[in-house]
């Protein structure tokens, strides 16, 4: 496998697209320290018990994924680059470089990862990745990149710190290593679909041509007009 | 002496003469009034009593004469004294209860309130729509109602004594203290600055569509349901509301401006003895106003005096009824010579309550202790202009909103199109879908919640409980228990799926129809250069109905014909003149001889060929009977009419202006034969008989009415003989003509033969008769006439009875025949319409022979047709005739078919597709039975009375629908409506009524589509119609071309809109099934809202306005293409369901292709949403593009432009950092997978549709398809479609 090799974690049965979940965020708060007071959208993770705003607020941030993976090949540790895994636009414009986590995961129920409150949100790339909720209940998210090539038949040892609780919703976790082509990650669907549809279209085209050749209808012949046909039929 | 003067000088005016003729008491009476004129005001009472006494005595004097009237059992008018008592009692009651006000208010409400109510009718004057309102309700009503109409129709306009309105001349204070008459300030604007917002919103929310929007938006404001952002969800509603409000506001501002301009105009008003300028808005009822030439009249006024000594004034009523000819109005002789300036005049006018009828006015006036009638000819109406008269003085009777012009400004009734009612049926199905979808979501939600009940507290993506320490600990948030959550999920899915009900479609359709009518109005092929009238769309709701018309009900005169009358032939004293085959040779002779035989002083505007034989007869110096008859004949033509001669001195030209084109033609003809009508005032006429001026005193005039069907005038000759001259329809004339004389019998038969001949040639005939009146007869008549014409109640009836006195024992003079030329292109139009499968019924007031001959000449009737004539004089006779005809022509079997068909049609309108199959067997059955010829039914008004009022209606219907042509002659206006109703209530077929006169209004309003012809007979028909045009032949283009286009367009528009919204909603639905039923939308809120408003709306509108399936040439060449509309080819249930299945497929493709493509990938919700947004917009636009038949630049711009606009909106929405979807689109467009996915969606989604379309075109081509191919491929013999581009 040629580098970069993308490391994804895949979670299933996690409805990140649930309406309660998707709405449970405050983009203004993430954007600028001026909008520190979290909006009511973030309930129940909006304020601490003593009324301090939680930054970042909301269920999405609260439930952030916190498993960690360590890779090694032939006892050689593979570095996983966690920089640049989030969208550049998010890092630079959406998540403020002067917004720092505050009162995060301080409640009685810990939903997931904790954040280093000395690092601004714009550099918390795991958070940024997690904050783009997945479209479907089974989804992958980018964990990091391995920037060395892997040889065939290499044995990769992975040390997984299983922190994230998927038992509560009956979900599975998967670890995926993948490269990308110009088409993105590996997915046969498009190829198969194109071949099938292409074949079907070809078949239709040929059959239309055959119809045209074998049983042509003179185009625009007025004698085919319904009343003309009727008149003809009437004579018989 | 002021008031005495007119009495003395005007010995020829009527009231004094009445007195004189009464005899000794009359003289006494005159003395009394003479003395009174010398008296002071305080003496008036005495004189009043005096006069009263004398009047009572007159009554006594009259009593013995009563026996003479016994031949006509008439009710004697009640004694005047008694009447006066009624008046005074009246007055008191008015003082106590201002009766007038409530009725007025009520009426105003009707006018403002709603269009539906205002629909009643314009012709009808009865204040509370006595016969108007039930009209529309009539639809399927029993006969009893219709019977009532008939009995009411003539008495409608009568003034009820209780309702009269008192106007004190030049005493506005007294006039206005009793009732609250409105001032002359008009307000056509609806709003003021203060009321604009609430009132406009109130009016706007009358539409169900807006209420739906509002309800959805309100639902969305509830916290548990907030699917969309609060502001976002209000956007569609606010958008539509503000657009409409701006439009309304602008229109109202313009109205305000014109109102202000109008109200601040000035007129001269008599104020303390002299005329001083006063602003229009300050003018009150009762004031005396002076108006100069070419000025506009500020309110409805009764004329008191004019610059003309005889009290004549000319007005132009262009603004009121569109007629450009001058009309004469008279000031009464009694007031005409009174001085106003510097004197205090007083008088009292009793008139009817304000009403909308511009052709009626009933009132009487007390002036100088005389009481006399006022009629239509004494009133000038607001909005008219004074012409050819230096000044007039009048007293205001109706001001401001109560003027007839203002009361008439209501719009024509609104109708719903048929397609729209079908559309509502399909909308019901869509609501069922909506309900099912919401139910599924709610059910899913409920089950999911039950299954995850235990986990809900901590589930990362649900978490219903707080775990923050403090007061909220362990409280739930936004959670109301499973049943409530399920219910809320139902409601919120309604919000998400709201556009499933295509509310925006109603607004789209309005815009589309507006655009369509813009092009219809602009169609230069429907522009009538002769009358400079363009096509008019007065109703914007029923454009597409024009494509489905099956029955046309046409008036004849003025609709099929030009209503420009030409005097063609005459039968004088049993001899026929004006036969052109002979005249041709004699013409030159006439011209050479003409110079010597007579001096023609006056040139006429229209040239008339003169029959020299008749001319010679007239110039014989003999006194034989024939010559005298000819003399009287032309005298009658010249005198017995209401035509006004207008003399252009400079050119020695004389122009006749009159309300009836027939009369104009007759007067012109008389003039050509040397009997030139020269001058006409209310008291006398001057006829130039071959250079000799003959002054005739007009003692009385019985105008034409539809009961008597004749008109008479009583004339006193200079030698003191008195004659009554009568002209009228033959049916009504022969009953009042004596035929006991030997020669008369011969004359009688000859004339009748001629009349039959004339009618066979399609000429309009009138019979002319006259007789001398004896002094006794004259006296009797004068008393009755005087009484009848001053009467306030049942004046028309009394006048009719009076007329009967003298219209008897007349001696026949002859008959006239007038040609009414067919309009250009009528036969071709009728032929085309018939080919298009439209049945044309002609309803005319003419008599049978005329109707048949016109029918033949316009190719409505063919010579090979079997005529069925129904001409019954009793119910039983009609029943027999109908039954015979049905048996003879084998209609019964067909009738069965028809019933089956209508049953089948009503059951499954759309699915029943094959019209051809039901068209044919019916004809076959008729053919097989007995005959090969198509049938034509001719029926007359008399029979219709029996048929429409009795239970023979369905019999007639069966017979009539079996016939190709139906011709109804001698029908009354209400019968016309009855016939339309006959068809309308029994079939689902669309009806169209076309006519030009006031008598067609009822029919026009009854039919599904009403078309008015801007003709010679004023604008009443146009005002009531949905469409108006200049010529009958435009009907062909209107239906075959525009109707076809509009139907195809709107039908497609509706189906497409259903599809467009449903595919979007279904796509959302599939996604919601993947989100644990939580009504998440992957699309951003804004995109969801913009979808139907911005992203996809413009192309549908443009296509709805501009798309043309065939060029107009092809459509005109093959009228049968119109049958597509009859077969509901473009819109039916089958198509709806096909569309829905297609929609389902497309939405599945739309949803699953991206889901499979991005399965197990890191795609986020907004990226997928963005992809879906673009995909669905591109998909529906390409779907539309596949169906567009005619591409023009603007279509390209709209279709591709809206895709570009969608992208632009996405870019803007994704460039705002605080939106969660920030920058999504920029990421996507860089990925090839995105583009490939969209391409795949489009191809897969449209493949089945494309396949079926091609298959259909190859194997089952529709007529339209073939015609289009012929058009594109320039099939030999087909018109070259070059004009296609130019035809826009």
């Amino acid at each position: 496998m040629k580098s970069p090799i993308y490391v994804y974690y895949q979670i299933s049965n996690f409805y990140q697209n649930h309406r309660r979940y998707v709405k449970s965020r405050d983009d203004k708060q993430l954007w600028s320290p001026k909008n520190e007071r979290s909006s009511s959208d973030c309930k129940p993770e909006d304020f601490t018990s003593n009324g301090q705003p939680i930054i970042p607020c909301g269920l999405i941030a609260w439930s952030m994924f916190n498993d960690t993976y360590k890779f090694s090949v032939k006892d050689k540790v593979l570095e996983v680059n966690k920089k640049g895994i989030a969208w550049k636009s998010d890092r630079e414009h959406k998540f403020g470089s002067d917004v720092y986590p505050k009162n995060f995961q301080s409640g009685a129920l810990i939903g997931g990862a904790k954040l280093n409150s000395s690092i601004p949100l714009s550099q918390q790339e795991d958070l940024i990745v997690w904050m783009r909720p997945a479209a479907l209940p089974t989804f992958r998210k980018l964990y990091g990149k391995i920037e060395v090539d892997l040889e065939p038949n290499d044995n990769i040892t992975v040390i997984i710190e299983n922190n994230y609780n998927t038992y509560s919703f009956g979900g599975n976790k998967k670890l995926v290593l993948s490269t990308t082509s110009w088409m993105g990650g590996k997915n046969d669907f498009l190829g198969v679909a194109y071949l099938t549809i292409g074949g079907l279209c070809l078949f239709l085209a040929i059959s239309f041509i055959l119809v045209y050749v074998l049983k042509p209808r003179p185009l625009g012949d007025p004698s085919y007009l319904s009343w003309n046909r009727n008149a003809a039929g009437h004579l018989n | 002496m002021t008031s005495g003067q007119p009495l003395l000088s005007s010995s020829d005016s009527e009231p004094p003469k009445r007195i004189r003729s009464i005899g000794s008491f009359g003289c006494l009476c005159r003395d009394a009034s003479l003395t009174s004129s010398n008296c002071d005001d305080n003496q008036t009472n005495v004189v009043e009593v005096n006069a009263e006494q004398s009047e009572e005595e007159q009554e006594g004097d009259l009593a013995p004469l009563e026996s003479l009237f016994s031949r006509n059992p008439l009710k004697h008018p009640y004694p005047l004294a008694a009447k006066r008592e009624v008046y005074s009692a009246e007055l008191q009651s008015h003082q106590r209860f201002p009766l007038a006000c409530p009725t007025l208010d009520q009426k105003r409400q009707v006018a403002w309130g709603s269009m539906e109510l205002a629909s009643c009718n314009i012709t009808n004057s009865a204040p509370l729509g006595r016969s108007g309102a039930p009209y529309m309700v009539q639809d399927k009503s029993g006969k009893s109602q219709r019977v009532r109409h008939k009995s009411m129709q003539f008495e409608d306009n009568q003034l009820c004594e209780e309702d009269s309105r008192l106007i004190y001349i030049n005493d506005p204070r007294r006039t206005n203290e009793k009732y609250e008459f409105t001032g002359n300030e008009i307000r056509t604007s609806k709003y003021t600055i203060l009321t604009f917002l609430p009132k406009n919103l109130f009016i706007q929310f009358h539409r169900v569509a807006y209420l739906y929007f509002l309800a959805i938006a309100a639902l969305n404001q509830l916290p548990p349901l907030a699917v969309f952002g609060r502001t976002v969800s209000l956007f569609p509603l606010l958008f539509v509301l503000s657009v409409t409000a701006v439009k309304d506001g602008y229109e109202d501002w313009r109205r305000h401006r014109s109102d202000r301009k109008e109200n601040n105009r000035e007129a001269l008003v008599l104020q303390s003895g002299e005329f001083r300028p006063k602003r229009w808005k300050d003018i009150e009822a009762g004031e005396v106003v002076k108006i100069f030439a070419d000025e506009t009249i500020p309110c409805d006024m009764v004329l008191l005096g004019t610059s003309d000594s005889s009290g004549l004034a000319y007005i132009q009523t262009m603004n009121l009824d569109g007629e450009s000819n001058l009309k004469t109005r008279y000031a009464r002789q009694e007031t005409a010579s009174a001085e106003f300036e510097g004197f205090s005049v007083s008088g009292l006018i009793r008139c009817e309550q304000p009403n909308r009828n511009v052709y009626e006015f009933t009132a009487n006036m007390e002036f100088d202790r005389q009481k006399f009638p006022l009629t239509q000819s004494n009133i000038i109406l607001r909005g008219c202009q004074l012409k050819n008269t230096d000044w007039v003085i009048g007293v205001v009777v109706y001001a401001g909103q109560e003027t007839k012009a203002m009361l008439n400004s209501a719009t024509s009734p609104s109708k719903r199109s048929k397609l729209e009612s079908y559309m509502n049926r399909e909308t019901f199905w869509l609501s069922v879908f909506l309900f099912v979808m919401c139910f599924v979501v709610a059910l899913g939600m409920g089950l999911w919640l039950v299954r995850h009940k235990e986990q809900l507290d901590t589930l990362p993506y649900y978490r219903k409980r707080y775990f923050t320490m403090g007061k909220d600990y362990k409280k739930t948030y936004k959670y109301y228990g499973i049943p409530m959550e399920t219910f809320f999920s139902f409601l919120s899915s309604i919000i998400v799926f709201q556009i499933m009900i295509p509310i925006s479609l109603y607004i789209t359709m309005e815009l589309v129809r507006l655009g369509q009518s813009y092009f219809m109005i602009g169609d230069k092929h429907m522009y009538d250069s002769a009358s400079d009238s363009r096509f008019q769309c007065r109703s914007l709701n029923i454009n597409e109905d024009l494509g489905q018309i099956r029955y046309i009900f046409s008036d004849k005169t003025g609709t099929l014909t030009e209503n420009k009358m030409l005097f063609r032939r005459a039968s004088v004293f049993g001899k026929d003149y004006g036969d052109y085959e002979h005249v041709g040779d004699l013409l030159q002779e006439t011209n050479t001889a003409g110079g010597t035989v007579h001096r023609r002083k006056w040139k006429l505007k229209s040239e008339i060929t003169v029959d020299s034989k008749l001319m010679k007869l007239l110039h014989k110096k003999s006194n034989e009977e024939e010559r005298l008859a000819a003399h009287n004949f032309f005298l009658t033509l010249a005198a017995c009419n209401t035509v006004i001669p207008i003399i252009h001195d400079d050119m020695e030209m004389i122009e006749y202006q009159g309300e009836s084109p027939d009369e104009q033609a007759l007067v012109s003809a008389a003039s050509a034969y040397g009997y030139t009508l020269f001058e006409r005032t209310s008291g006398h006429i001057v006829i130039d008989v071959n250079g000799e001026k003959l002054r005739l005193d007009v003692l009385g005039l019985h105008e034409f009415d539809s009961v008597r069907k004749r008109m008479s005038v009583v004339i006193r000759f200079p030698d003191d003989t008195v004659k009554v001259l009568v002209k009228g329809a033959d049916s009504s004339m022969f009953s009042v003509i004596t035929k006991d004389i030997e020669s008369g019998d011969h004359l009688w038969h000859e004339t009748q033969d001629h009349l039959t001949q004339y009618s066979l040639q399609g000429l309009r005939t009138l019979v002319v008769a006259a007789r001398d009146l004896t002094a006794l007869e004259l006296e009797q008549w004068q008393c009755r006439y005087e009484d009848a014409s001053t009467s306030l109640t049942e004046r028309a009836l009394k006048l009719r009875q009076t007329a009967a006195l003298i219209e008897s024992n007349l001696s026949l003079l002859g008959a006239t025949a007038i040609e009414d030329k067919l309009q250009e292109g009528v036969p071709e139009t009728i032929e085309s319409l018939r080919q298009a499968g439209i049945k044309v019924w002609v309803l005319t007031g003419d008599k049978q022979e005329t109707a048949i001959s016109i029918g033949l000449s316009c190719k409505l009737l063919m010579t090979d047709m079997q005529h069925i004539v129904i001409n019954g004089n009793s119910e039983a006779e009609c029943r027999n005739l109908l039954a015979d005809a049905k048996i003879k022509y084998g209609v019964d079997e067909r009738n069965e078919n028809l019933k089956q068909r209508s049953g089948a049609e009503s059951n499954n309108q759309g699915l029943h597709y094959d019209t051809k199959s039901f068209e044919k067997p019916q004809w076959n059955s008729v053919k097989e039975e007995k005959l090969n010829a198509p049938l034509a039914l001719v029926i007359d008004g008399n029979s219709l009375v029996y048929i429409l009022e009795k239970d023979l209606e369905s019999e007639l219907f069966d017979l009539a629908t079996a016939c190709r042509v139906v011709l109804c002659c001698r029908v009354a206006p209400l019968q016309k409506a009855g016939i339309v109703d006959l068809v309308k209530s029994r079939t689902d077929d669309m009806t169209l009524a076309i006519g030009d006169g006031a008598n067609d209004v009822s029919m026009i309003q009854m039919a599904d589509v009403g078309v008015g012809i801007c003709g010679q007979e004023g604008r009443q028909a146009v005002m009531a119609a949905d469409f108006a045009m200049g010529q009958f032949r435009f009907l062909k283009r209107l239906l075959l071309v525009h109707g076809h286009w509009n139907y195809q367009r709107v039908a497609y528009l509706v189906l497409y809109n259903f599809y467009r919204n449903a595919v979007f909603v279904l796509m959302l639905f599939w996604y919601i099934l993947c989100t644990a039923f939580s009504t998440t939308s992957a699309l951003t809120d804004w995109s969801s809202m913009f979808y139907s408003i911005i992203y996809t709306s413009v192309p549908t509108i443009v296509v709805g306005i501009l798309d043309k399936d065939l060029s107009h040439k092809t459509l005109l060449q093959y009228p049968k293409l119109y049958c597509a509309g009859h077969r509901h080819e473009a819109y039916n249930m089958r198509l709806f369901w096909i569309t829905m299945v297609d929609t389902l497929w497309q939405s599945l493709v739309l949803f699953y292709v991206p889901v499979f493509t991005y399965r197990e990938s890191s795609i986020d919700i907004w990226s997928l949403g963005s992809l879906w947004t673009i995909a669905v917009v591109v998909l529906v636009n390409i779907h539309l593009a596949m169906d567009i038949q005619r591409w023009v630049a603007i279509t390209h711009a709209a279709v591709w432009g809206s895709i570009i606009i969608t992208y632009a909106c996405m870019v803007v929405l994704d460039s705002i950092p605080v939106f969660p979807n920030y920058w999504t689109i920029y990421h996507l467009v860089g990925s090839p997978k995105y583009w490939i996915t969209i391409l795949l969606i489009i191809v897969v989604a449209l493949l089945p549709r494309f396949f079926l379309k091609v298959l259909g075109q190859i194997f089952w081509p529709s007529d339209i398809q073939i015609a289009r191919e012929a058009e594109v491929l320039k099939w030999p013999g087909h018109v070259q479609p070059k004009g296609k581009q130019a035809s826009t």
Side-chain angles (χ1 to χ4, degrees), chain B residues 705-1001:
Chain B
D705 71 48
S706 48
V707 180
R708 280 159 54 235
K709 288 186 183 144
R710 53 185 173 249
M711 168 185 184
S712 59
V713 58
V714 182
I715 295 277
R716 186 197 299 276
F717 285 83
D719 59 1
D720 242 21
T721 54
V722 177
K723 266 197 171 135
V724 54
L725 308 174
V726 189
K727 72 171 200 296
D730 50 358
S731 60
S732 73
M733 287 296 283
F734 279 109
S735 58
V736 293
I737 287 172
T738 44
K739 60 166 182 175
D740 42 7
I741 312 162
E742 185 81 11
S743 64
D745 204 30
H746 164 74
L747 178 63
W748 173 284
H749 289 300
E750 284 293 313
T751 313
Q752 278 202 325
D753 283 352
H754 290 153
L755 282 172
T756 333
Q757 252 179 52
Y758 297 159
S759 327
L760 286 177
Q761 290 166 17
L763 301 173
R764 295 158 72 90
T765 55
L766 281 176
V767 174
V768 177
R771 83 167 158 117
D772 293 317
L773 283 185
T774 62
L776 184 67
E777 280 172 325
L778 180 67
E779 242 172 64
Q780 283 173 26
W781 171 78
Q782 273 188 325
C783 295
R784 297 287 295 265
Y785 182 68
E786 198 60 39
D787 189 65
S789 52
T790 39
S791 158
L792 278 181
T793 49
E794 300 189 324
R795 184 187 287 177
L797 181 71
K798 288 179 188 168
L799 277 174
R800 238 180 0 252
Q801 291 165 345
T802 315
L805 273 183
I806 49 165
E807 288 170 356
S808 59
N809 297 321
L810 301 169
S811 55
L812 182 63
L813 295 175
T816 59
I818 296 168
E819 187 188 13
D820 188 4
K821 273 190 10 198
L822 271 190
Q823 278 186 13
E824 202 185 322
V826 168
E828 293 83 353
T829 306
I830 289 185
E831 183 52 35
S832 293
L833 292 176
R834 180 180 299 150
Q835 279 185 25
I838 302 172
K839 290 187 173 174
V840 182
W841 294 25
V842 172
L843 316 177
T844 172
D846 279 339
K847 60 177 163 300
Q848 201 163 311
E849 295 78 17
T850 319
I852 291 177
S853 66
I854 286 282
L856 284 168
S857 62
C858 64
K859 289 197 182 156
L860 188 67
L861 293 171
M862 301 293 194
T863 37
D864 60 343
M865 282 183 173
Q866 291 282 332
H867 292 199
I868 306 171
V869 179
I870 307 285
N871 236 344
N873 274 324
S874 69
E875 194 199 332
E877 202 179 338
C878 290
R879 189 189 298 276
N880 289 338
L881 281 169
L882 284 173
D884 287 352
K886 278 170 82 174
I887 293 164
K888 190 173 169 197
Y889 298 103
V891 174
D892 274 331
E893 190 187 328
R894 193 190 120 90
N895 174 25
E896 284 304 304
N897 288 341
L898 200 88
K899 271 183 187 148
Q900 279 166 12
R901 170 176 78 98
S902 55
E905 256 194 350
S906 58
N907 285 343
N908 49 349
Q909 189 76 46
L911 296 169
H912 196 84
Y913 194 59
D914 45 347
T915 318
K916 286 162 242 162
S917 68
F918 68 66
E919 187 96 14
K920 273 185 60 194
Q922 286 160 10
W923 282 115
N924 283 349
S925 72
V926 175
K927 279 174 184 168
E928 282 160 15
E929 282 285 323
K930 271 162 195 144
L931 300 148
N932 292 316
L935 303 175
L937 178 69
V938 181
I939 189 162
D940 75 341
N942 255 342
S943 322
L944 281 174
V945 171
Y946 299 110
I947 292 168
L948 292 181
E949 286 184 12
K950 301 285 153 56
D951 49 354
L952 292 170
E953 271 191 342
S954 59
E955 311 264 307
L956 175 67
F957 173 75
D958 295 339
L959 183 63
T961 44
C963 296
R964 249 206 207 181
V965 176
V966 177
L967 209 63
C968 304
C969 22
R970 293 244 184 259
V971 282
L974 274 159
Q975 284 180 330
K976 290 189 177 181
I979 294 165
V980 176
D981 185 40
L982 177 80
V983 172
K984 202 177 147 188
S985 59
R986 278 180 174 71
T987 61
D988 279 335
D989 296 333
M990 303 291 296
T991 54
L992 178 146
I994 180 168
D996 73 321
N999 58 341
D1000 304 316
V1001 169

Side-chain angles (χ1 to χ4, degrees), chain A residues 17 45 49 135 187 217 220 226, chain B residues 463 469 1071 1080 1157 1263 1269:
Chain A
N17 55 16
E45 286 295 325
S49 49
N187 189 336
R217 173 176 69 85
S226 63
Chain B
R463 234 196 86 177
M469 292 304 177
Y1071 185 66
T1080 322
T1157 310
D1263 294 341
E1269 287 164 5

Side-chain angles (χ1 to χ4, degrees), chain B residues 466-620:
Chain B
Y466 285 100
F467 287 97
T468 337
M469 292 304 177
K471 60 177 168 54
D472 286 334
Y473 186 66
K474 292 256 176 175
K475 266 195 189 163
T476 58
Y477 85 103
K478 284 192 194 167
Y479 184 79
Y480 307 91
I482 290 173
M484 276 315 269
E485 282 295 303
T486 311
F487 178 64
F488 284 148
S489 111
F490 184 83
L491 289 183
S492 57
S493 40
I494 289 183
I495 299 174
V496 177
F497 303 145
Q498 57 176 289
I499 64 166
M500 188 74 182
I501 313 283
I503 291 300
S504 60
L505 179 55
Y506 291 92
I507 295 150
T508 312
M509 273 171 95
E510 267 176 39
L511 289 173
V512 163
R513 287 174 183 143
L514 198 70
Q516 288 176 346
S517 43
Y518 171 78
F519 283 105
M520 278 154 78
I521 290 166
D523 188 341
K524 60 180 182 296
H525 292 98
M526 294 204 294
Y527 171 78
D528 183 22
S529 52
S531 60
D532 188 33
S533 55
R534 283 194 304 184
F535 182 78
Q536 293 175 42
C537 286
R538 298 181 50 83
S539 154
L540 283 177
N541 286 331
I542 51 173
N543 286 353
E544 61 273 16
D545 278 354
L546 291 173
Q548 290 185 289
I549 301 296
R550 242 186 203 283
Y551 289 94
I552 290 179
F553 299 92
S554 172
D555 176 40
K556 189 184 76 67
T557 312
T559 306
L560 297 178
T561 63
E562 280 185 355
N563 204 12
K564 278 184 190 151
M565 306 299 169
L566 267 182
F567 184 80
R568 278 287 175 226
R569 314 184 67 154
S571 157
V572 182
F573 209 65
K575 277 192 189 145
D576 175 31
Y577 298 98
D579 196 341
Y580 288 104
E581 278 147 47
H582 302 289
V583 175
D585 314 326
L586 295 168
L587 205 64
Q588 284 187 324
E589 197 191 323
T590 320
N591 284 349
T592 48
T596 51
V597 175
H598 68 104
R599 307 167 279 132
R600 246 196 44 216
K601 193 178 164 191
W602 302 106
K603 273 187 240 161
L604 287 169
K605 267 207 154 174
S606 56
E607 280 304 316
I608 290 158
T609 27
V610 180
D611 189 327
S612 55
K613 278 191 289 178
L614 185 55
M615 207 64 179
K616 275 177 191 156
L617 174 68
L618 282 171
H619 288 92
K620 270 187 209 166

Side-chain angles (χ1 to χ4, degrees), chain B residues 191 324 374 397 412 438 551 581 700 761 767 773 775 801 896 938 1039 1075 1093 1118 1121 1132 1175-1176:
Chain B
Y191 316 109
S324 60
L374 296 173
V397 285
S412 57
C438 294
Y551 289 94
E581 278 147 47
Q761 290 166 17
V767 174
L773 283 185
Q801 291 165 345
E896 284 304 304
V938 181
L1039 296 184
T1075 64
I1093 297 173
Y1118 300 116
L1121 290 172
N1132 50 49
V1176 72

Side-chain angles (χ1 to χ4, degrees), chain B residues 79-163:
Chain B
L80 288 179
K83 201 190 287 177
R84 196 156 297 179
E85 269 170 32
V86 173
Y87 278 155
S88 54
E90 240 314 291
L91 222 77
Q92 282 163 10
S93 75
H94 270 311
Q95 278 162 349
R96 265 176 287 152
F97 323 99
L99 276 173
C101 303
T103 50
L104 273 179
D105 284 348
Q106 227 164 327
K107 187 157 34 134
R108 191 91 36 82
Q109 270 169 10
V110 171
W112 283 125
S114 60
M115 292 308 147
E116 288 90 89
L117 273 178
S119 74
C120 302
N121 47 12
I122 288 156
T123 41
N124 228 300
S125 66
L128 291 171
R130 254 189 302 173
S131 80
Y135 228 160
M136 306 308 286
V137 191
Q138 208 180 37
D139 262 344
K140 285 167 180 80
S141 68
K143 284 116 206 165
S144 60
Q145 216 165 9
R146 214 168 297 143
V147 178
R148 217 176 63 218
H149 290 316
K150 271 167 198 142
S151 57
M152 275 179 123
Q153 64 174 317
F154 298 115
E155 271 66 53
D156 242 359
N157 302 325
Q158 292 310 311
L159 175 63
C160 294
E161 300 274 335
E162 301 89 57
D163 280 349

Side-chain angles (χ1 to χ4, degrees), chain A residues 10 17 19-20 23 43-45 49 62 87 89 94 108 132-133 135 140 183 187 194 217 220 222 226, chain B residues 463 466-467 469 477-478 1071 1078-1080 1156-1157 1160 1162 1164-1165 1219 1222 1227 1236 1257 1263 1269 1275:
Chain A
Q10 177 174 333
N17 55 16
R19 184 156 67 92
R20 285 171 83 100
K23 299 260 175 202
K43 277 180 185 174
E45 286 295 325
S49 49
W62 171 77
W87 290 10
S89 57
K94 193 167 164 58
R132 270 198 176 261
R140 288 175 190 178
M183 276 287 292
N187 189 336
Y194 263 89
R217 173 176 69 85
S226 63
Chain B
R463 234 196 86 177
Y466 285 100
F467 287 97
M469 292 304 177
Y477 85 103
K478 284 192 194 167
Y1071 185 66
S1078 65
T1079 61
T1080 322
F1156 284 132
T1157 310
E1160 296 188 333
S1162 59
D1164 62 279
I1165 186 167
F1219 280 7
Y1222 181 63
H1227 272 270
I1236 290 170
Q1257 288 187 359
D1263 294 341
E1269 287 164 5
W1275 188 263

